[in-house]
Amino acid sequence: MRYQGREVDVEGRVRLVMESALTARDRVGVQDFVLLENYNSEATFIENLRRRFGENLIYTYIGSVLVSVNPYKELEIYSKQQMERYRGVSFYEISPHIYAVSDNTYRAMRTERKDQCILISGESGAGKTEASKKILLYYAVTCPTNDHMATLGDRLLQSNPVLEAFGNAKTLRNDNSSRFGKYMDVQFDFKGAPVGGHILNYLLEKSRVVHQNHGERNFHIFYQLLDGGDNDLLITLDLERNPQNYNYLGNCPRLSSVSDKNNWKVVMKALSVIGFTEEEVQKLLNIIASVLHLGNTQFGEREEGETYITTETQITNLAKLLGVDGSALREALTHKKLTAKGEEMISPLDFEQAVSARDALAKAVYGRTFTWLVEKINHSLALKEEIYHSGKGCSVIGLLDIYGFEVLQHNSFEQFCINYCNEKLQQLFIELTLRSEQEEYETEGIAWETVQYFDNKIICDLIEEKHKGIISILDEECLRPGETCDVSFLEKLEDTLGGHPHFVTHKLANGKTRRVMSREEFRLLHYAGEVNYNVNGFLDKNNDLLNRNLKEVMCQSDNQILSHCFRREEVIGQKRPEMAATQFKNSLTKLMEILMSKEPSYVRCIKPNDAKQPGRFDEVLVRHQVKYLGLMENLRVRRAGFAYRRRFEAFLQRYKPLCPETWPNWHGRLADGVSALVNHLGYKAEEYKLGRSKIFIRFPKTLFTTEDALEAKKPDIALTLQTSWRGYRERAKYQRIRRAVIVIQSGWRGMKARRRAKRRRQAAELIRRFIKGFIYRHEEYCPENEYFLDHVRYSFLKNLSKNLPKSVLDKNWPKPPPSLDEASEHLRRMHMRNMVTKYCRRVQPEWKKQMMQKVVASEIFKDQKDSYPQGVGRLFLDSRLEREQINLKVIQTLANDKVQYGVSVIKHDRRGFKPRSRQLLLTNTFAVLVDRTKTKQRIDYTTLRGISVSSLSDGMFVLHLPNEDNKQKGDLVLHCNHVIELVTKLAMMASKVNHVNISPGSIRFAMARGKEGIIDFVRGSELKVTKGKRGHLLVTAPRINST
Ligand SMILES: Nc1ncnc2c1ncn2[C@@H]1O[C@H](COP(=O)(O)OP(=O)(O)O)[C@@H](O)[C@H]1O
Ligand SMILES: [Mg+2]
């Protein structure tokens, strides 16, 4: 953000601009004179200039007029950066500068499509030419370039050294004083690129060619040629290097500030850039040399009064250089041709006439060549045809570099013309300023207020009016037959203009004025001040006569430049060419028309001292210029209305902190905002007016008060700005984070949604495949059902893995899908085997024994005997008898055969079935029946034929013993509560597992001597062993609620 109103310049020093400059006004003054409270005071005006000059602020505005004071030193304000600084910036926003004027003009041309002009005026040495060069340079650097005309900028810039060489000279006031007026048009295409240029020249000071005041020089080109031209060139021109040898060059010492030699190179280069051919340059130099030779042409007077040329060699040189016939030239220089009554007569010139004829020729040759030079440059700068025709609206910026009012000790015809020109320019200024002021009031809708100003029309008329004006009278006097001289002209003036309020002569003046006027002078009261003109030479200068025979000679020149400059028609035609003053008047009228059609800007140049010294401010000299530049008048016109005007937005923007309603921002109409603001500030009705887009403030004081209030308010504003800036920064930070969060959020949501959608799609697809698979589930494995089948398998296996039977006894097994029947079965078996293996690994040896016994028990009894489920469920003990329960004697009898198992049994006698309590002990090879201490019977396993039990729940069992010999007592009928356990162990030990029979109804058994006993078994409520009829043993076995 650029802090409005403050600028830091290249030196880093704070340069205050416009309004804020008001606060520093004590030091650097105001940068616009319209802000001077006392605008009628010349002293205040000059004091303001002085202060600024002291601070190296050489530029100051009067409204849109730029006043520039020559610093006579290089200031660091013309760099490229400075150009950039002023580019596109509003006029008032930044310190006054020639670049601001240039830029403003350029932008006005571009935006309004209206031709512009910049009028630069001021005394000789005040810096006009420098200013115009700065403007051109600004355009050359900052404007876009047109490929077509890339070189145009160069040519425009290069035209300067050429014109300066031929048109500038050292004067007492300025080492490089332009001795002609220049108006230059720069044409821009619709893109704003410079595409063409045109120069109009005014009033070349030709008299300088033949005569210069003491301490002044002729035009630079002569010295440059002599100093810079190489020897060969000088030889061809028959010139010597020493300027002292030439009468026309006076005896002015060399310049210290200017190097003629270097400038010669610059000019020669410039000529070629502009497009002069070598031949043209040669011809041009021939003419320059010929002028020097003319100056050295001397005349002698013979006794009979005849004039002759004493320097014959000069004539030869001249003839060669001018390309004319030598004798014709000699003749023409010493004779004049008259036409009387249709007859041509030749009459000799007297000495003085011959000298002035020679000088007239020199002036004419040089003057016309200069005009040719300008034409030639114009040709080179001319807008090329094709661009002109395709030129969709070329616009023009004109630059007028012309002398300001000139008031010398002796003022002659030249000063008269120049001051007349300035009078016209002032008229234009008033007209245009008032016009633009009025236009502004109109567009702003403000009632027009008459502006009091000095209308200088009366003076312009005094000079230029037909028949009555000074120029008309002068022309008349020149043409009048009979004796005319400057004095008769003065008398004529007195006759015609006597009594005019702006015209005085010695005769007409009152005593006081008379004292400061000579008898040969007339005084004009210009708008800027009074100037006395000496009439001596007026007629001659106005006549600007060149003898006809000299013209004729020049017409025949074979130097193309001269034959172009001296036209045959001029000699043949009887019509007298226009007088110098009239010519000037006409060209001025044309110039006014040109300027009138354009939007003007003004640069007024002031010279601070005559010594060309930096830092010196000669108040007397400056006051004189301020007067003759009409600056006070400028200011008065400008201030007649309102001192200050500013667009609403700019005004509001600057002063809004001063009113709570408009601070920090005004949201309504701008006009209302400004209105609220000025009401709050207490502006009185007569102090200001509101237009459509601008506020007009009548007195600077009003503005200053406002400005001071703003200054006082600044700390508050700074605070507010700081707070709101911080707020803004934090808000911005927060917004940034928020935006980031949203981005992440939406990214994440998007991703989630995409995932979900993908999952849904997959799910739908899956369901579809599933359904399809289901439909095809009975088909062979194929793409349609592969998923379904795989899934069924998979889920079966998955389910199976979770529901595997935990124990061998658990026979549950999930039902497999048909395709997995086989695999399922495999798995089931593997699992079972695995469980068994695992189980087996876990089994202890005793348990293993137990199991083995149970397996055997199962083999024997399973599903055969009612008590089996009960019996097998119990633990098979190693022995049912404690060791102490077995009689020691019995153990001793058994000796080595260890009792493996012992149990209490009841033995039923074979006869009578009497029950007797016994112990049955089993060893590895036999069993013994023991009755307390006695071993009753030993049964070798080898002899055991078999074992019988009933199928019921009773504990009866029969051991079948051998009966081949009758000595045997028969089979043993026993009862044991642990019949399953006992029989199992016995069968295992005796290896008689296959010899256990289980009889459902009855068991037959052998008794002694071949007899046979029978045991019948029935089911009853409780166990009962009784002797039945027929001698059978009847065993009632209780029913067992087997499940
Ligand atoms: N802006 C400037 N900065 C520095 N020197 C300047 C400036 N303007 C003028 N001068 C000096 O003043 C001299 C005369 O200026 P010039 O433009 O030739 O005057 P004018 O054309 O008005 O007669 C220049 O040669 C230069 O030395
Ligand atoms: Mg100049």
Side-chain angles (χ1 to χ4, degrees), residues 119-155:
L119 310 186
I120 309 167
S121 58
E123 265 192 22
S124 178
K128 301 181 295 290
T129 307
E130 289 296 322
S132 75
K133 285 195 246 179
K134 302 233 144 79
I135 295 170
L136 273 185
L137 195 65
Y138 181 81
Y139 293 146
V141 172
T142 61
C143 292
T145 48
N146 183 317
D147 323 330
H148 244 314
M149 308 295 287
T151 54
L152 186 91
D154 269 353
R155 290 186 186 169

Side-chain angles (χ1 to χ4, degrees), residues 129 176 178 401:
T129 307
N176 183 32
S178 324
D401 168 7

Side-chain angles (χ1 to χ4, degrees), residues 109 281 311 650 1028:
M109 173 199 78
V281 174
T311 50

Side-chain angles (χ1 to χ4, degrees), residues 55 70 203 252 589 696 1017 1021:
E55 292 285 328
N70 188 347
L203 280 186
C252 176
T589 313
F696 293 76
F1017 295 93
S1021 58

Side-chain angles (χ1 to χ4, degrees), residues 184-253:
M184 181 181 218
D185 264 340
V186 184
Q187 290 144 334
F188 294 86
D189 68 3
F190 68 104
K191 284 190 233 140
V195 288
H198 189 83
I199 294 166
L200 292 174
N201 59 312
Y202 299 97
L203 280 186
L204 179 73
E205 189 193 39
K206 284 183 290 185
S207 57
R208 183 169 296 273
V209 177
V210 298
H211 173 79
Q212 308 91 37
N213 289 329
H214 186 75
E216 301 200 344
R217 296 209 310 180
N218 208 325
F219 294 100
H220 294 322
I221 187 67
F222 295 111
Y223 306 92
Q224 291 173 355
L225 171 61
L226 295 186
D227 205 7
D230 56 34
N231 292 335
D232 291 347
L233 177 65
L234 293 191
I235 290 168
T236 51
L237 299 175
D238 285 306
L239 292 177
E240 293 157 39
R241 219 172 261 291
N242 186 359
Q244 309 272 3
N245 294 347
Y246 296 96
N247 296 331
Y248 279 170
L249 298 187
N251 50 6
C252 176

Side-chain angles (χ1 to χ4, degrees), residues 770-951:
F770 200 81
I771 294 171
K772 208 160 191 187
F774 182 76
I775 295 168
Y776 286 92
R777 69 191 180 279
H778 297 304
E779 306 288 312
E780 278 292 293
Y781 188 79
C782 62
E784 282 75 23
N785 63 12
E786 71 184 337
Y787 174 74
F788 179 81
L789 294 184
D790 287 351
H791 179 75
V792 168
R793 286 176 201 172
Y794 171 78
S795 36
F796 164 73
L797 291 174
K798 186 97 182 166
N799 179 39
L800 179 61
S801 75
K802 286 184 194 142
N803 295 307
L804 279 174
K806 299 270 184 318
S807 84
V808 221
L809 300 178
D810 182 359
K811 295 292 180 249
N812 290 324
W813 188 260
K815 185 171 162 41
S819 58
L820 278 185
D821 274 345
E822 211 177 324
S824 164
E825 187 49 30
H826 271 301
L827 282 171
R828 196 184 61 76
R829 267 195 237 127
M830 274 162 63
H831 181 64
M832 199 52 86
R833 218 175 291 145
N834 187 32
M835 275 199 304
V836 169
T837 316
K838 272 204 215 145
Y839 180 84
C840 291
R841 280 208 197 111
R842 268 204 327 268
V843 172
Q844 303 291 316
E846 302 92 78
W847 192 244
K848 192 169 172 182
K849 210 167 101 196
Q850 182 91 206
M851 289 306 291
M852 281 162 67
Q853 291 171 11
K854 297 247 165 132
V855 170
V856 174
S858 133
E859 276 171 19
I860 300 170
F861 299 110
K862 188 155 182 238
D863 299 333
Q864 309 261 19
K865 186 166 171 64
D866 285 356
S867 60
Y868 168 73
Q870 234 176 28
V872 83
R874 285 196 206 112
L875 202 61
F876 286 5
L877 298 186
D878 278 355
S879 176
R880 291 280 165 187
L881 293 178
E882 300 299 319
R883 213 170 160 72
E884 311 75 78
Q885 287 176 282
I886 304 169
N887 192 293
L888 261 178
K889 267 193 206 154
V890 173
I891 291 170
Q892 280 166 2
T893 355
L894 291 178
N896 290 337
D897 295 307
K898 225 173 134 207
V899 176
Q900 299 293 342
Y901 180 75
V903 68
S904 302
V905 296
I906 291 169
K907 179 186 171 267
H908 291 277
D909 284 350
R910 273 144 282 204
R911 212 172 290 232
F913 297 115
K914 201 168 172 199
R916 295 176 206 278
S917 211
R918 295 285 185 270
Q919 287 178 332
L920 183 63
L921 307 178
L922 302 184
T923 71
N924 281 334
T925 50
F926 59 89
V928 284
L929 201 59
V930 176
D931 174 13
R932 264 162 274 158
T933 57
K934 273 196 287 186
T935 309
K936 278 290 190 178
Q937 188 171 1
R938 169 179 168 133
I939 304 137
D940 284 312
Y941 294 149
T942 45
T943 61
L944 187 67
R945 280 192 297 122
I947 306 161
S948 292
V949 292
S950 81
S951 64

Side-chain angles (χ1 to χ4, degrees), residues 625-837:
Q625 293 171 81
V626 167
K627 186 169 174 208
Y628 285 94
L629 279 170
L631 295 186
M632 295 310 293
E633 191 62 22
N634 272 6
L635 178 55
R636 271 174 33 72
V637 171
R638 191 65 216 193
R639 273 294 303 272
F642 295 88
Y644 176 91
R645 62 209 62 189
R646 190 66 84 245
R647 294 188 67 78
F648 287 152
E649 53 266 40
F651 187 80
L652 202 57
Q653 177 63 29
R654 182 160 183 83
Y655 297 113
K656 64 185 182 179
L658 296 178
C659 168
E661 279 173 74
T662 51
W663 178 251
N665 286 304
W666 174 259
H667 294 293
R669 283 176 53 228
L670 288 173
D672 297 341
V674 172
S675 194
L677 182 55
V678 296
N679 283 339
H680 183 81
L681 292 172
Y683 281 20
K684 295 198 184 67
E686 69 272 14
E687 284 181 313
Y688 76 102
K689 278 222 166 80
L690 295 184
R692 292 204 176 88
S693 67
K694 285 182 185 167
I695 177 170
F696 293 76
I697 295 177
R698 197 176 300 276
F699 313 112
K701 193 176 60 192
T702 315
L703 186 69
F704 292 158
T705 321
T706 312
E707 185 57 31
D708 290 345
L710 181 67
E711 196 63 31
K713 184 91 186 174
K714 267 179 190 163
D716 284 358
I717 306 173
L719 197 68
T720 314
L721 286 178
Q722 221 172 39
T723 354
S724 54
W725 162 247
R726 287 196 182 135
Y728 166 79
R729 207 177 46 189
E730 289 308 309
R731 226 170 14 255
K733 199 163 125 193
Y734 164 74
Q735 294 291 1
R736 222 167 38 240
I737 294 174
R738 207 179 100 90
R739 276 196 299 277
V741 166
I742 290 174
V743 167
I744 296 172
Q745 220 171 40
S746 61
W748 170 245
R749 283 187 182 149
M751 199 181 78
K752 244 169 54 177
R754 273 192 302 281
R755 266 194 203 163
R756 201 167 46 231
K758 191 171 158 197
R759 266 209 313 277
R760 280 195 184 148
R761 221 169 28 245
Q762 283 173 343
E765 173 66 11
L766 213 61
I767 293 170
R768 211 172 301 125
R769 277 164 73 190
F770 200 81
I771 294 171
K772 208 160 191 187
F774 182 76
I775 295 168
Y776 286 92
R777 69 191 180 279
H778 297 304
E779 306 288 312
E780 278 292 293
Y781 188 79
C782 62
E784 282 75 23
N785 63 12
E786 71 184 337
Y787 174 74
F788 179 81
L789 294 184
D790 287 351
H791 179 75
V792 168
R793 286 176 201 172
Y794 171 78
S795 36
F796 164 73
L797 291 174
K798 186 97 182 166
N799 179 39
L800 179 61
S801 75
K802 286 184 194 142
N803 295 307
L804 279 174
K806 299 270 184 318
S807 84
V808 221
L809 300 178
D810 182 359
K811 295 292 180 249
N812 290 324
W813 188 260
K815 185 171 162 41
S819 58
L820 278 185
D821 274 345
E822 211 177 324
S824 164
E825 187 49 30
H826 271 301
L827 282 171
R828 196 184 61 76
R829 267 195 237 127
M830 274 162 63
H831 181 64
M832 199 52 86
R833 218 175 291 145
N834 187 32
M835 275 199 304
V836 169
T837 316

